[in-house]
Amino acid sequence: MLKQGTSCPGNVSLGHRGLCVTAAGTVMHGKLEGGKRVVKGMRSFEEIPHTGRNGWLNLLKFWRENRFQQLHKHMERTFNTLGPIYREKLGTLSSVNIMLPSDVSELFKSEGLHPQRMTLQPWATHREIRNHSKGIFLKNGEEWRADRLQLNKEVMMSAAVKRFLPLLDEVAKDFCQMLQTRMEKEGRGEKGKCVLTIDPSPDLFRFALEASCHVLYGERIGLFSSSPSLESQKFIWAVERMLTTTPPLLYLPPRLLLRMGAPLWTQHATAWDHIFSHAEARIQRGYQRLSTSLDRASPAGTAGSQYTGVLGQLMEKGQLSLDLIKANITELMAGGVDTTAVPLQFALFELGRNPEVQESVRQQVRVSWAQAGGDPHKALQGAPLLKGTIKEVLRLYPVGITVQRYPVRDIVLQNYHIPAGTLVQACIYPMGRSEKVFEDPLRFDPSRWSREEGQRVEAAGFRSLAFGFGARQCVGRRIAESEMQLFLMHILLSFHLSVPSSEDLNTTVTLILQPETPPRITFSKL
């Protein structure tokens, strides 16, 4: 049994004798010097393997070799070459990169009460020069925590999820109906046996925007009609442009580019301006609806017993100022389209090229849906393979390829000293495909997650990190998970999926991981 004693930075203390266990599992002797634990055998920060000490030369090499678009592959190759931890410096940005769940677990223990991740400075600069309030994505400290706790009540708590699930369920059903209508018009084969082979990505982006608007604003915007609005299509284009222009701006001073009138900065700022104007129009309509609802003295949280969306809930409760509500709703909108539409592309592809997996998930979904009596919450609870499918898709194709933290105290990772305040990145693309972490890692197997729950797996809570971890995990996680699971549920109840080509997809990184060419999917009516 462990005795109580003085703990080592980032280690587990084993009593007063000064024994420490590092994240790598090595037991070392240590002593106190000047109030700090000095661990024998621990290596210095400077000894961490690195990719080159000159950040500007490294950045130039990245530009020349087009590595930004293949950053996930660069990380995977570097871990294979240097081991499970390395340092990298690119322009003004320095980081320590890790990939093992045990090390991520150690990092989590040191994130503190107000966890910090890497600030997307281009986004922050845009808010500052346009005099927009910042949402929680760009905040830190107590200000972040106070706002986050209010948002959690409306987007993360189980009661909130139950309120918005029917809205997502409605959109998913309507998408399948739209696809069925399109199949009858454009499909091949006899009536009732039609098949339709398409690139579904434009439709998936419309689905994600329709679903996000329904949950956030409490209104449908009609994107499944034969002629969706140009305004909404421009919003999708703006989000894509914002994501594409963000990565290069992370390594250069945005205000310098602003003064220079650099086209890259202009494109980025213009994209954000359009995102804000789209959100502002929706928020104004929501505010008007809420005012009308309150004039009629509807019960709190409803408009004639109708859920008013996250926006309406926040406005009614009045715990956040209108400016802060606008800032956070806009961030949720901007972060809620590509980040669900793209994983759904990968999900349809993997289910299509793994027919046995597809059928096992479908059988479970059918039973659960029949027993749920139309209740989407019960239906999802009874189909754990749906959740496993999403986790498996995000293991192989994580939306964001890293999760970052700045430890609030010194820690030890892989027997190296990491000073407090160092940017540490958990690289989840290499983790998800590593034989050191997953058995047969390239096999698409949603059932692996159910099996793991019955086993004692080291650092089990840090093997699925697509939504981050701890208090600073993705605030839109519950919306995204529910949206994707309900979408796949209704697709599998309505259609059989196959793919013209089962070749592995080539992927690229903007700010998120996506296929270089969207996969074509064949839908067949069941």
Side-chain angles (χ1 to χ4, degrees), residues 230-231 234-236 238 269-279:
L230 182 60
E231 172 201 5
K234 285 182 177 178
F235 177 82
I236 293 172
T270 301
W272 267 121
D273 290 343
H274 193 88
I275 291 168
F276 267 85
S277 65
H278 179 276

Side-chain angles (χ1 to χ4, degrees), residues 410-476:
D410 291 11
I411 58 175
V412 177
L413 299 176
Q414 292 297 315
N415 205 18
Y416 292 103
H417 172 246
I418 312 294
T422 301
L423 172 61
V424 182
Q425 297 194 110
C427 302
I428 56 180
Y429 180 90
M431 178 196 293
R433 291 167 177 261
S434 172
E435 292 181 346
K436 297 177 182 178
V437 182
F438 293 98
E439 181 181 349
D440 198 3
L442 298 185
R443 184 162 65 97
F444 184 75
D445 180 16
S447 65
R448 77 169 72 233
W449 300 100
S450 298
R451 291 196 304 273
E452 282 194 3
E453 288 180 5
Q455 302 169 357
R456 295 190 66 179
V457 179
E458 183 185 13
F462 298 91
R463 294 159 61 84
S464 179
L465 295 174
F467 293 103
F469 58 81
R472 192 131 203 182
Q473 64 184 285
C474 172
V475 71

Side-chain angles (χ1 to χ4, degrees), residues 257-397:
L257 298 177
L258 171 62
R259 287 194 293 270
M260 293 169 58
L264 184 65
W265 170 257
T266 302
Q267 293 173 22
H268 184 76
T270 301
W272 267 121
D273 290 343
H274 193 88
I275 291 168
F276 267 85
S277 65
H278 179 276
E280 175 71 23
R282 298 288 169 193
I283 290 169
Q284 285 297 332
R285 282 199 284 273
Y287 183 75
Q288 290 167 3
R289 284 200 312 274
L290 179 62
S291 299
T292 302
S293 167
L294 293 178
D295 286 344
R296 294 172 182 166
S298 295
T302 66
S305 76
Q306 182 179 358
Y307 176 61
T308 56
V310 175
L311 174 66
Q313 298 284 71
L314 290 172
M315 285 181 169
E316 285 183 42
K317 293 182 179 177
Q319 298 297 310
L320 294 175
S321 70
L322 186 57
D323 280 345
L324 289 179
I325 292 173
K326 288 179 181 178
N328 284 293
I329 290 291
T330 301
E331 286 182 5
L332 283 167
M333 273 301 302
V337 179
D338 293 54
T339 53
T340 50
V342 172
L344 287 175
Q345 292 181 46
F346 289 123
L348 293 176
F349 171 76
E350 287 292 352
L351 289 169
R353 74 166 177 172
N354 292 280
E356 292 181 359
V357 172
Q358 179 186 158
E359 191 56 33
S360 66
V361 179
R362 178 181 291 110
Q363 290 303 323
Q364 192 179 80
V365 163
R366 277 178 169 163
V367 172
S368 182
W369 180 249
Q371 294 176 345
D375 183 335
H377 184 253
K378 289 182 180 178
L380 294 185
Q381 283 186 319
L385 280 178
L386 268 179
K387 186 174 183 178
T389 298
I390 298 303
K391 291 179 76 171
E392 193 71 345
V393 167
L394 294 175
R395 176 182 71 83
L396 291 168
Y397 311 100

Side-chain angles (χ1 to χ4, degrees), residues 75 79 84-88 95-99 424-425 427:
M75 289 176 170
F79 282 118
I85 184 170
Y86 71 90
R87 286 188 294 133
E88 185 143 69
S95 68
V96 170
N97 293 350
I98 58 176
M99 59 155 285
V424 182
Q425 297 194 110
C427 302

Side-chain angles (χ1 to χ4, degrees), residues 482-503:
S482 303
E483 183 179 327
M484 290 189 285
Q485 288 181 57
L486 286 167
F487 175 89
L488 291 180
M489 181 176 74
H490 287 294
I491 286 289
L492 291 173
L493 288 171
S494 303
F495 305 100
H496 178 269
L497 306 171
S498 57
V499 289
S501 172
S502 60
E503 292 294 315

